[in-house]
Amino acid sequence: MSLFVPEEEEVSQNSNEDGPRIVKPEDPIVEEIPLYLNHMTDSEHDICLFQYISQLSSKPLTNNKGIQIPACRVKPESQMVEIDVPLDTARFFDKQKSDEWSTMTSETYGGNLLDSRGTYIMGIQSNPITGKREIVLTPINKTAQIRPVFHHIDTHNEVSKDGEVIGTTVQEAPKKAPAKNNVQVVQMTAKNIGSENEIRYSEAIQSFKKFQSEDFVESTWFDESDENSTKLKEKLYGDEELKSKVLEVTESEKDYINKLLNDKLVLR
Amino acid sequence: MGSASKSGRDHKHSEPDEAFNELLKPVYKGKELTDKIDTVEDKWNLLPAFLKVKGLVKQHLDSFNYFVDRDLKKIIQANQLILSDIVPDFYLKYTDIRVGHKSNASPDAPIEVLLPPHECRLRDITYSAPIYVDVEYTRGKKIIMHRDLEIGRMPIMLRSNKCILNGKSEEVMASLNECPLDPGGYFIVNGTEKVILVQEQLSKNRIIVESDEKKNIVQASVTSSTHERKSKTYVVTKNGKIYLKHNSISEEVPIVIALKAAGIISDLEILQLICGSNQKYQDIFAINFEEPLVKHNIHTQKEALLFIGERVKTIRRFGAPKLSKLEEGIEAVANTVVAHITCEDGNDLKEKGLYLAIMARRVVMAIENPKMVDDIDYVGNKRLELAGQLMSLLFEDLFKKFNSEFKMNIDKTLKKPNRANEFDALLTINVYSSHISHGLERAISTGNWSLKRFKMERAGVTHVLSRLSYISALGMMTRISSQFEKSRKVSGPRALQPSQFGMLCTADTPEGEACGLVKNLALMTHITTDDEEAPIRQICYNLGVEDIRFVDFSSIHVAKSYTVHLNGTIIGLTKFPGNFMKLFRFLRRSGKISPFISVFANSYQSAIHIATDGGRICRPLIIVENGISRVKEEHLRKLKLGEWGFDDFLKNGLVEYMDVNEENDSYIALYEPNIEKTTTHLEIEPFTVLGAVAGLIPYPHHNQSPRNTYQCAMGKQAIGAIAYNQFKRIDTLLYLMCYPQQPMVKTKTIELIDYDKLPAGQNATVAVMSYSGYDIEDALVLNKSSLDRGFGRCQVLKKHTEVLKKYPNHTKDIVSGMKVDAETGEPIWQHESLGPDGLGEVGLKVDSGQVYINKCIPVNAGDSMLGNNPNMPNYGMGNHRETPVYYRAPEPSYIDQVMMSTSSNDQSLIKVLLRQTRRPELGDKFSSRHGQKGVCGIIVNQEDLPFNDNGISPDIIMNPHGFPSRMTVGKMIELISGKAGVLNGSLEYGTCFGGSKLEDMSKILVDKGFNYSGKDMLYSGITGECLQAYIFFGPIYYQKLKHMVLDKMHARARGPRAVLTRQPTEGRSRDGGLRLGEMERDCVIAYGASQLLLERLMLSSDAFDVDVCNQCGLMGFHGWCNNCKTSEKVIGMKIPYAAKLLFQELISMNIAPKLRLGDVF
């Protein structure tokens, strides 16, 4: 038995970025595919890629698989997302444990949004007119690895320990609406930070405090089948205007290498 | 890219060095440019080209240049702001820092040093340049920019780019009294030349896996080192389970809890990260999941963080905020454990988790296969710490201290409620500028490196540059000292490592306790300086490496996929390791990234390692592609014509630098004919495995290896020429050879390091035969006429320094004139060599007991200045007492130089240099260049020595018993080559793995009418008869070593005694007695010579008459017992004074030793 999700073949993307061509013995061109670059990110959209680390690719979180996402939240400052996914209470479900944790109906997935420069969504499709394959690349701004988070256990611990909760560590509510008392605690923390030794906290603690003081913003989840999703999908595959501009190599190999090398100072 | 191209540029601007230009002239050593170029033979020309850009001490200079040009700026940036606790608006910000230049200075303006280096040496001053900073600060509401604020002075390394000698021609050097052959790389602090020795350390920020098979422990450790802190993190096994261990966490944390705390929560992911799909690894690791769950009941990240937070040992610094347990946990994981990886986002600690997981994986691998551990003695796991890095640590510490003191002062001033005028921070800054200068000076002059922030105390970092000979100075600059304790009996760190090849000299290490711990650099090496990581990381991503942050953990340990590590930290994943490395190397070879960045693959770990860090040793190699060397005839021709330098070879991808790790991953051919299809590189020149000192040995490849090691130690003791400015120097002790010669049998190294210009030895004609019986135990027979002609003659120069002090009461030391005999008007004998100024006259002889500085000190120096007015009539000469400096030595000296100057603290400084010329005498030590030392056993008149057909008699006769056990065949070949060279009128070469061939030399000998084997027929000087055997006869280069009888001979009949014990003093310098030690005493006892024993141990030592009272047993006085108040039973006797002292000391401790006396007869 393998522990692993089978590998997906992504070899072709890699060979694109070969860069300088040094001694390449036999490498004949098999097929030429036109490339298009979709500049969606420059406009109003922030395209984020969610990697469901523990989710099987055969079971996507879509309506047609019978999964409806009840809630989805973001902390825009701390760059944190959380998604509630309903639990299959029919199979492999421990009712007793669930009751202990104040009746679970959904589990929570979460992750940090990290800047992902140089990553693209690649859409391969065949041109409806010519029937030839074409590739549309769309740059991604952020990537998040989505993993299960166990807020219910932490909340359960706090409730059971009751008075033993230390300092300002009241956890943000794991469930839908943030409770009122949370707001209060948050404000107190904020005051503390503002008044005294703000500089002295290490960056990790600062960001943690910021994360705690920030509220989740509820956002809307559109299913794959939703109208909005289809629209966006179409956009991702590019419109007519985009299709008129095939990406072409304008630079010599040498310039390209230099660009690759000099690019990084700006990036840093 | 900035860093990479910059270092490339630095090389181009290296100074035009006349010494090397000779090698590049059209005709060199009889070879012309039109000669056929043989790539096999002539590729060695890359070596002089390398040394032209790199030089022998370039590692020190590069490191110092990097420190002053770049590291300083980084330090300033990291400690940029000074804020006040009192006034929140106040700030002071450092914007730039420079050493030796003002901001408006043109690039080629001279560096602002006070005095040229030689003057600093003479006047006991520090050779330093000002450190200027630009600051921006607030004064009231205004923001003020201030440029060129001096915050202290930086000692300058000679020949660095901040030294005035940098790039100067030989003429300018001469005008500054500097030797153009002096390599630089040292500091002058208070007049003494100080070297910061290269320190060897285990590499920082790398995982090292060790195992103790007996105790069944495997551990992976990493020493994290950042600017702020240094700490060590372990992942260890204990009862088969794996734990995280760190000093600041009170107990070991199960690795699974640690990983959960870092945000890798699911057991599946942990198993994927650590074990991959390897069934064995999974079985080994599975046990670790039990404890966190069952014992500690930990499921979530928060629970794990709390678990760690509760176990953190908090050392709260003053003013630091109090943290909750959860925050403590976050702080520990984010910043304390594996501190060199900083997690700036406290909510995302996965990078840390990943690193810990890799450590755990290495442990699991080592459990499964005990061979998967690291070799800590492997040179690739070592880093060398150079002057620049050590200075940078020290400077940052001092700068931080400077800033905090400055800040405290600002706070103090700002606290005052009503200040009269507006507060200007800069007014007080000058007070602290001496802290930096003095801190730097003190550390370099004492060698005590104490760094507050690392709580580090290191002693013996600096050493006085040995100026015994040119080679000893050079040897010191290439020396590497290890941090290992010398006393420990370990063989591993001392052993010769195969990975040392070409990087560290295989022969040059001391004998005895430091054997193998002190090493020397090989001839063609470079030590890297730090390079920027970020651009390299980006290049890796651009070359198709998948960012590790977005990689699914399940795909990390999949077959064929390689992890990419940058300076030990995982940054990504690639499925095409071969291709990636090829591309990366291509970029390096085409000069797009720094040539000193190394990349190599470790197939056991399925990892590609890229290193950009400083302190790696590397060396250049010729690149071989498809079985063909990339260096071709046309390139070598360009090199010969001077069109190309070494850097052009580098830039054009013909030659590249390899560090030890990458070298280990390549297939290097020694010679061009050995190249195979899979060969990746070709050696430039095999003799570069040796260093500068071992390079002096002719034919070392024919010697037994310890002999070469012995020569390396002795070559540094040989008396010779020191530098071109040797007669201008005033050193504490200086040995000079009167007529040094360059060796008949040279090596290429000798030419490259200019030993032929500053040699230490003479070509002696040696006869290998027995003569006179005074040649046993390697003793040599010397020819008296040779000594008359100047063989082995040397000069010894000794310095005496005297300071004329000034006292608080306005009196001061003076030098008074000579005393004159009243009758004759001549100066008295003691003052014969004085001049009218009271100082010795240059050129005059001083005998023992004569005065050469007639110093007088004031009688009333301690008086207060009120009672003693210098204007009072009796003030003057009468108030001074003579304290002359006498010359005391068995042999007279001559006054060589007298210098009077003022030192840095404004007191008069007198330096007198005394000279002795010494010819060899019985007992003086000589050695050849093959570790064959011997003392002079007899000096024989030339007429009594054997001679050959031409009437030549030997300078030295060496006993043939020196050869069989020593197996120094190189010495024999040296003799033959030397003899051939003399007859042929040529200088021959004994270069390692090459040199003049024995067959050719024999051919010359035969052609000139000599025996092919170097043996001659000699006639006895005494009888005139032909000797019965042919004698091995010819020139061998001999060194005179610094150990001379005159400095060691010592005898005493009577003399000084120690005050406390009344026993004779110890040691030659105190005119001490010769000890009859324990073993000698045992012999005398065994022999039964009791009277001799009594005489040696008591009568001649500390006999003392005591009066013992036989009634009470205690000692009395003057025939009177003070205890019994009687003189009745008091008996006089002799005991050692030490015994009497012991009794008294015991009495003082309330123990009464009582003597009971009885009659013997």
Side-chain angles (χ1 to χ4, degrees), chain A residues 22 51 53 115 145 147 154 157-158 202 205 207 209 260-261 264 268, chain B residues 269 300 302-303 327 331 346 534-535 542 549-551 553 586 592:
Chain A
I22 49 169
Q51 298 177 318
I53 296 296
D115 273 342
Q145 295 197 328
R147 294 184 163 79
D154 290 332
N157 285 346
E158 262 157 51
S202 69
I205 301 292
S207 57
K209 290 203 181 265
L260 275 185
L261 293 169
K264 67 213 176 293
R268 217 201 149 216
Chain B
E269 277 191 294
T300 70
K302 193 176 166 188
E303 282 170 339
E327 285 164 345
E331 178 73 22
N542 287 351
R549 293 180 302 164
F550 308 130
V551 167
F553 292 157
F586 171 75
K592 307 280 184 199

mmCIF file of all heavy atoms in Angstrom, chain A residues 22 51 53 115 145 147 154 157-158 202 205 207 209 260-261 264 268, chain B residues 269 300 302-303 327 331 346 534-535 542 549-551 553 586 592:
data_model
loop_
_atom_site.group_PDB
_atom_site.id
_atom_site.type_symbol
_atom_site.label_atom_id
_atom_site.label_comp_id
_atom_site.label_asym_id
_atom_site.label_seq_id
_atom_site.Cartn_x
_atom_site.Cartn_y
_atom_site.Cartn_z
ATOM 1 N N ILE A 22 22.752 24.536 -23.439
ATOM 2 C CA ILE A 22 24.101 24.002 -23.565
ATOM 3 C C ILE A 22 23.953 22.611 -24.142
ATOM 4 O O ILE A 22 22.903 21.993 -23.998
ATOM 5 C CB ILE A 22 24.834 23.968 -22.209
ATOM 6 C CG1 ILE A 22 23.950 23.320 -21.149
ATOM 7 C CG2 ILE A 22 25.218 25.348 -21.778
ATOM 8 C CD1 ILE A 22 24.693 23.021 -19.882
ATOM 9 N N GLN A 51 -3.985 24.499 -2.458
ATOM 10 C CA GLN A 51 -3.535 23.114 -2.590
ATOM 11 C C GLN A 51 -4.141 22.325 -1.439
ATOM 12 O O GLN A 51 -3.792 22.560 -0.289
ATOM 13 C CB GLN A 51 -2.000 23.046 -2.517
ATOM 14 C CG GLN A 51 -1.295 23.804 -3.620
ATOM 15 C CD GLN A 51 0.210 23.778 -3.458
ATOM 16 O OE1 GLN A 51 0.721 23.933 -2.358
ATOM 17 N NE2 GLN A 51 0.918 23.583 -4.549
ATOM 18 N N ILE A 53 -3.853 19.545 0.501
ATOM 19 C CA ILE A 53 -2.793 18.583 0.731
ATOM 20 C C ILE A 53 -3.339 17.216 1.089
ATOM 21 O O ILE A 53 -2.909 16.199 0.593
ATOM 22 C CB ILE A 53 -1.881 19.088 1.866
ATOM 23 C CG1 ILE A 53 -1.191 20.382 1.453
ATOM 24 C CG2 ILE A 53 -0.855 18.037 2.252
ATOM 25 C CD1 ILE A 53 -0.249 20.249 0.304
ATOM 26 N N ASP A 115 3.043 34.483 -1.060
ATOM 27 C CA ASP A 115 3.328 35.061 -2.376
ATOM 28 C C ASP A 115 3.946 34.004 -3.269
ATOM 29 O O ASP A 115 4.892 33.329 -2.880
ATOM 30 C CB ASP A 115 4.328 36.215 -2.225
ATOM 31 C CG ASP A 115 3.594 37.503 -1.944
ATOM 32 O OD1 ASP A 115 2.388 37.536 -2.221
ATOM 33 O OD2 ASP A 115 4.238 38.442 -1.456
ATOM 34 N N GLN A 145 -1.378 26.272 1.028
ATOM 35 C CA GLN A 145 -1.550 24.839 1.239
ATOM 36 C C GLN A 145 -2.644 24.680 2.291
ATOM 37 O O GLN A 145 -2.501 25.160 3.411
ATOM 38 C CB GLN A 145 -0.248 24.207 1.712
ATOM 39 C CG GLN A 145 0.828 24.276 0.646
ATOM 40 C CD GLN A 145 1.975 23.333 0.909
ATOM 41 O OE1 GLN A 145 2.317 23.059 2.047
ATOM 42 N NE2 GLN A 145 2.579 22.832 -0.155
ATOM 43 N N ARG A 147 -4.742 22.697 4.833
ATOM 44 C CA ARG A 147 -4.680 21.503 5.670
ATOM 45 C C ARG A 147 -5.803 21.549 6.692
ATOM 46 O O ARG A 147 -6.301 22.626 7.017
ATOM 47 C CB ARG A 147 -3.356 21.489 6.446
ATOM 48 C CG ARG A 147 -2.144 21.336 5.602
ATOM 49 C CD ARG A 147 -0.916 21.238 6.505
ATOM 50 N NE ARG A 147 0.198 20.706 5.764
ATOM 51 C CZ ARG A 147 0.932 21.406 4.930
ATOM 52 N NH1 ARG A 147 0.677 22.669 4.724
ATOM 53 N NH2 ARG A 147 1.933 20.844 4.280
ATOM 54 N N ASP A 154 -8.868 22.552 20.349
ATOM 55 C CA ASP A 154 -8.336 23.649 21.166
ATOM 56 C C ASP A 154 -9.444 24.313 21.977
ATOM 57 O O ASP A 154 -9.261 24.615 23.150
ATOM 58 C CB ASP A 154 -7.656 24.681 20.274
ATOM 59 C CG ASP A 154 -6.369 24.129 19.680
ATOM 60 O OD1 ASP A 154 -5.770 23.256 20.327
ATOM 61 O OD2 ASP A 154 -5.987 24.565 18.588
ATOM 62 N N ASN A 157 -10.390 22.101 24.746
ATOM 63 C CA ASN A 157 -9.393 22.167 25.814
ATOM 64 C C ASN A 157 -9.613 23.381 26.687
ATOM 65 O O ASN A 157 -9.542 23.310 27.907
ATOM 66 C CB ASN A 157 -7.984 22.270 25.219
ATOM 67 C CG ASN A 157 -7.517 20.937 24.674
ATOM 68 O OD1 ASN A 157 -8.128 19.918 24.973
ATOM 69 N ND2 ASN A 157 -6.479 20.968 23.879
ATOM 70 N N GLU A 158 -9.876 24.515 26.024
ATOM 71 C CA GLU A 158 -10.016 25.749 26.784
ATOM 72 C C GLU A 158 -11.233 25.715 27.671
ATOM 73 O O GLU A 158 -11.187 26.140 28.818
ATOM 74 C CB GLU A 158 -10.098 26.939 25.835
ATOM 75 C CG GLU A 158 -8.758 27.605 25.706
ATOM 76 C CD GLU A 158 -8.645 28.372 24.433
ATOM 77 O OE1 GLU A 158 -9.553 29.169 24.151
ATOM 78 O OE2 GLU A 158 -7.649 28.159 23.720
ATOM 79 N N SER A 202 9.535 40.013 18.986
ATOM 80 C CA SER A 202 10.137 39.496 17.769
ATOM 81 C C SER A 202 9.072 39.494 16.683
ATOM 82 O O SER A 202 7.877 39.584 16.955
ATOM 83 C CB SER A 202 10.650 38.080 18.003
ATOM 84 O OG SER A 202 9.557 37.218 18.167
ATOM 85 N N ILE A 205 6.268 36.930 17.021
ATOM 86 C CA ILE A 205 5.245 37.236 18.022
ATOM 87 C C ILE A 205 4.363 38.379 17.534
ATOM 88 O O ILE A 205 3.137 38.361 17.698
ATOM 89 C CB ILE A 205 5.903 37.585 19.373
ATOM 90 C CG1 ILE A 205 6.755 36.425 19.870
ATOM 91 C CG2 ILE A 205 4.867 37.961 20.402
ATOM 92 C CD1 ILE A 205 5.989 35.203 20.274
ATOM 93 N N SER A 207 3.598 39.136 14.500
ATOM 94 C CA SER A 207 2.652 38.684 13.489
ATOM 95 C C SER A 207 1.567 37.816 14.131
ATOM 96 O O SER A 207 0.420 37.831 13.714
ATOM 97 C CB SER A 207 3.370 37.923 12.379
ATOM 98 O OG SER A 207 4.086 36.851 12.920
ATOM 99 N N LYS A 209 0.440 38.199 17.182
ATOM 100 C CA LYS A 209 -0.479 39.089 17.875
ATOM 101 C C LYS A 209 -1.411 39.778 16.890
ATOM 102 O O LYS A 209 -2.593 39.957 17.143
ATOM 103 C CB LYS A 209 0.307 40.134 18.670
ATOM 104 C CG LYS A 209 1.021 39.526 19.860
ATOM 105 C CD LYS A 209 1.308 40.571 20.913
ATOM 106 C CE LYS A 209 2.045 39.998 22.083
ATOM 107 N NZ LYS A 209 1.180 39.604 23.189
ATOM 108 N N LEU A 260 16.943 36.688 -16.582
ATOM 109 C CA LEU A 260 16.702 35.756 -15.488
ATOM 110 C C LEU A 260 17.608 36.058 -14.311
ATOM 111 O O LEU A 260 17.201 36.027 -13.162
ATOM 112 C CB LEU A 260 16.986 34.326 -15.945
ATOM 113 C CG LEU A 260 15.882 33.563 -16.643
ATOM 114 C CD1 LEU A 260 16.341 32.142 -16.883
ATOM 115 C CD2 LEU A 260 14.624 33.549 -15.795
ATOM 116 N N LEU A 261 18.866 36.362 -14.653
ATOM 117 C CA LEU A 261 19.837 36.556 -13.590
ATOM 118 C C LEU A 261 19.666 37.900 -12.919
ATOM 119 O O LEU A 261 19.811 38.023 -11.717
ATOM 120 C CB LEU A 261 21.248 36.444 -14.156
ATOM 121 C CG LEU A 261 21.622 35.057 -14.641
ATOM 122 C CD1 LEU A 261 22.904 35.109 -15.411
ATOM 123 C CD2 LEU A 261 21.760 34.122 -13.449
ATOM 124 N N LYS A 264 16.479 38.963 -10.271
ATOM 125 C CA LYS A 264 16.359 38.577 -8.875
ATOM 126 C C LYS A 264 16.667 39.710 -7.904
ATOM 127 O O LYS A 264 16.142 39.741 -6.817
ATOM 128 C CB LYS A 264 17.269 37.397 -8.573
ATOM 129 C CG LYS A 264 18.708 37.730 -8.665
ATOM 130 C CD LYS A 264 19.450 36.528 -9.145
ATOM 131 C CE LYS A 264 20.891 36.778 -9.352
ATOM 132 N NZ LYS A 264 21.257 37.649 -10.398
ATOM 133 N N ARG A 268 14.164 40.749 -4.738
ATOM 134 C CA ARG A 268 14.536 40.690 -3.332
ATOM 135 C C ARG A 268 14.109 41.937 -2.654
ATOM 136 O O ARG A 268 13.536 42.061 -1.659
ATOM 137 C CB ARG A 268 16.041 40.566 -3.210
ATOM 138 C CG ARG A 268 16.382 39.669 -2.052
ATOM 139 C CD ARG A 268 17.764 39.881 -1.571
ATOM 140 N NE ARG A 268 17.736 39.604 -0.156
ATOM 141 C CZ ARG A 268 18.455 40.270 0.715
ATOM 142 N NH1 ARG A 268 19.218 41.240 0.322
ATOM 143 N NH2 ARG A 268 18.397 39.952 1.988
ATOM 144 N N GLU B 269 1.422 13.371 7.087
ATOM 145 C CA GLU B 269 2.428 14.268 6.520
ATOM 146 C C GLU B 269 3.780 14.113 7.189
ATOM 147 O O GLU B 269 4.824 14.173 6.548
ATOM 148 C CB GLU B 269 1.937 15.713 6.622
ATOM 149 C CG GLU B 269 1.004 16.082 5.502
ATOM 150 C CD GLU B 269 0.734 17.565 5.466
ATOM 151 O OE1 GLU B 269 0.107 18.075 6.412
ATOM 152 O OE2 GLU B 269 1.167 18.214 4.525
ATOM 153 N N THR B 300 -3.157 19.020 18.347
ATOM 154 C CA THR B 300 -3.150 20.214 17.503
ATOM 155 C C THR B 300 -1.859 20.995 17.666
ATOM 156 O O THR B 300 -1.065 20.748 18.564
ATOM 157 C CB THR B 300 -4.309 21.149 17.881
ATOM 158 O OG1 THR B 300 -4.016 21.702 19.175
ATOM 159 C CG2 THR B 300 -5.620 20.400 17.946
ATOM 160 N N LYS B 302 -1.619 24.087 18.486
ATOM 161 C CA LYS B 302 -1.654 24.917 19.691
ATOM 162 C C LYS B 302 -1.225 24.115 20.913
ATOM 163 O O LYS B 302 -0.442 24.586 21.747
ATOM 164 C CB LYS B 302 -3.059 25.464 19.883
ATOM 165 C CG LYS B 302 -3.122 26.562 20.912
ATOM 166 C CD LYS B 302 -4.513 27.136 20.993
ATOM 167 C CE LYS B 302 -4.647 27.972 22.235
ATOM 168 N NZ LYS B 302 -6.025 28.385 22.434
ATOM 169 N N GLU B 303 -1.731 22.875 20.996
ATOM 170 C CA GLU B 303 -1.360 22.024 22.123
ATOM 171 C C GLU B 303 0.146 21.788 22.141
ATOM 172 O O GLU B 303 0.794 21.836 23.183
ATOM 173 C CB GLU B 303 -2.088 20.674 22.020
ATOM 174 C CG GLU B 303 -3.532 20.748 22.460
ATOM 175 C CD GLU B 303 -4.306 19.478 22.135
ATOM 176 O OE1 GLU B 303 -3.859 18.712 21.239
ATOM 177 O OE2 GLU B 303 -5.327 19.245 22.750
ATOM 178 N N GLU B 327 2.823 32.007 23.470
ATOM 179 C CA GLU B 327 3.765 32.864 22.763
ATOM 180 C C GLU B 327 5.207 32.398 22.966
ATOM 181 O O GLU B 327 6.023 32.450 22.056
ATOM 182 C CB GLU B 327 3.594 34.318 23.210
ATOM 183 C CG GLU B 327 2.367 34.956 22.624
ATOM 184 C CD GLU B 327 1.957 36.233 23.342
ATOM 185 O OE1 GLU B 327 2.458 36.474 24.470
ATOM 186 O OE2 GLU B 327 1.149 36.968 22.777
ATOM 187 N N GLU B 331 7.700 31.608 20.082
ATOM 188 C CA GLU B 331 9.017 32.236 20.081
ATOM 189 C C GLU B 331 10.108 31.168 19.996
ATOM 190 O O GLU B 331 11.075 31.304 19.241
ATOM 191 C CB GLU B 331 9.175 33.072 21.359
ATOM 192 C CG GLU B 331 10.509 33.766 21.544
ATOM 193 C CD GLU B 331 10.691 34.958 20.625
ATOM 194 O OE1 GLU B 331 9.677 35.510 20.159
ATOM 195 O OE2 GLU B 331 11.847 35.315 20.362
ATOM 196 N N GLY B 346 4.702 34.383 12.591
ATOM 197 C CA GLY B 346 4.481 33.468 13.709
ATOM 198 C C GLY B 346 3.363 32.472 13.461
ATOM 199 O O GLY B 346 3.198 31.517 14.201
ATOM 200 N N ALA B 534 20.151 35.327 -1.621
ATOM 201 C CA ALA B 534 18.861 35.554 -2.277
ATOM 202 C C ALA B 534 18.929 35.447 -3.803
ATOM 203 O O ALA B 534 18.064 34.794 -4.403
ATOM 204 C CB ALA B 534 18.308 36.904 -1.853
ATOM 205 N N PRO B 535 19.906 36.069 -4.456
ATOM 206 C CA PRO B 535 19.935 35.934 -5.915
ATOM 207 C C PRO B 535 20.106 34.493 -6.372
ATOM 208 O O PRO B 535 19.509 34.087 -7.385
ATOM 209 C CB PRO B 535 21.140 36.759 -6.346
ATOM 210 C CG PRO B 535 21.653 37.457 -5.172
ATOM 211 C CD PRO B 535 20.966 36.943 -3.966
ATOM 212 N N ASN B 542 14.414 30.013 -11.068
ATOM 213 C CA ASN B 542 14.374 30.280 -12.501
ATOM 214 C C ASN B 542 14.861 29.095 -13.317
ATOM 215 O O ASN B 542 14.505 28.946 -14.474
ATOM 216 C CB ASN B 542 15.202 31.525 -12.833
ATOM 217 C CG ASN B 542 14.518 32.797 -12.377
ATOM 218 O OD1 ASN B 542 13.362 32.757 -11.969
ATOM 219 N ND2 ASN B 542 15.228 33.903 -12.438
ATOM 220 N N ARG B 549 7.932 25.644 -0.561
ATOM 221 C CA ARG B 549 6.738 26.071 0.178
ATOM 222 C C ARG B 549 5.464 25.540 -0.479
ATOM 223 O O ARG B 549 4.433 25.410 0.163
ATOM 224 C CB ARG B 549 6.657 27.600 0.222
ATOM 225 C CG ARG B 549 7.767 28.236 1.039
ATOM 226 C CD ARG B 549 7.610 29.728 1.023
ATOM 227 N NE ARG B 549 7.636 30.246 -0.358
ATOM 228 C CZ ARG B 549 7.232 31.447 -0.700
ATOM 229 N NH1 ARG B 549 6.767 32.272 0.201
ATOM 230 N NH2 ARG B 549 7.303 31.843 -1.965
ATOM 231 N N PHE B 550 5.530 25.290 -1.784
ATOM 232 C CA PHE B 550 4.322 24.883 -2.489
ATOM 233 C C PHE B 550 4.368 23.420 -2.902
ATOM 234 O O PHE B 550 3.617 22.990 -3.748
ATOM 235 C CB PHE B 550 4.110 25.776 -3.715
ATOM 236 C CG PHE B 550 4.154 27.231 -3.354
ATOM 237 C CD1 PHE B 550 4.944 28.114 -4.058
ATOM 238 C CD2 PHE B 550 3.395 27.710 -2.301
ATOM 239 C CE1 PHE B 550 4.986 29.448 -3.710
ATOM 240 C CE2 PHE B 550 3.429 29.050 -1.955
ATOM 241 C CZ PHE B 550 4.231 29.922 -2.665
ATOM 242 N N VAL B 551 5.310 22.705 -2.300
ATOM 243 C CA VAL B 551 5.431 21.302 -2.665
ATOM 244 C C VAL B 551 4.636 20.462 -1.683
ATOM 245 O O VAL B 551 4.662 20.703 -0.476
ATOM 246 C CB VAL B 551 6.915 20.887 -2.656
ATOM 247 C CG1 VAL B 551 7.050 19.386 -2.721
ATOM 248 C CG2 VAL B 551 7.639 21.530 -3.818
ATOM 249 N N PHE B 553 4.180 17.475 0.551
ATOM 250 C CA PHE B 553 5.215 16.709 1.254
ATOM 251 C C PHE B 553 5.354 15.284 0.728
ATOM 252 O O PHE B 553 6.391 14.676 0.836
ATOM 253 C CB PHE B 553 4.921 16.661 2.758
ATOM 254 C CG PHE B 553 5.054 18.000 3.419
ATOM 255 C CD1 PHE B 553 4.391 18.260 4.599
ATOM 256 C CD2 PHE B 553 5.857 18.988 2.860
ATOM 257 C CE1 PHE B 553 4.510 19.492 5.218
ATOM 258 C CE2 PHE B 553 5.983 20.220 3.472
ATOM 259 C CZ PHE B 553 5.299 20.468 4.646
ATOM 260 N N PHE B 586 26.981 25.787 -15.732
ATOM 261 C CA PHE B 586 27.136 26.573 -16.956
ATOM 262 C C PHE B 586 27.092 28.063 -16.614
ATOM 263 O O PHE B 586 27.893 28.853 -17.114
ATOM 264 C CB PHE B 586 26.031 26.207 -17.947
ATOM 265 C CG PHE B 586 25.978 27.102 -19.147
ATOM 266 C CD1 PHE B 586 26.929 26.978 -20.150
ATOM 267 C CD2 PHE B 586 25.008 28.076 -19.265
ATOM 268 C CE1 PHE B 586 26.893 27.806 -21.246
ATOM 269 C CE2 PHE B 586 24.974 28.916 -20.357
ATOM 270 C CZ PHE B 586 25.921 28.780 -21.357
ATOM 271 N N LYS B 592 28.238 34.282 -14.912
ATOM 272 C CA LYS B 592 26.997 34.971 -14.560
ATOM 273 C C LYS B 592 26.809 35.019 -13.049
ATOM 274 O O LYS B 592 26.131 35.900 -12.538
ATOM 275 C CB LYS B 592 25.796 34.258 -15.179
ATOM 276 C CG LYS B 592 25.907 34.035 -16.660
ATOM 277 C CD LYS B 592 25.571 35.282 -17.430
ATOM 278 C CE LYS B 592 25.596 34.999 -18.916
ATOM 279 N NZ LYS B 592 25.731 36.229 -19.705
#
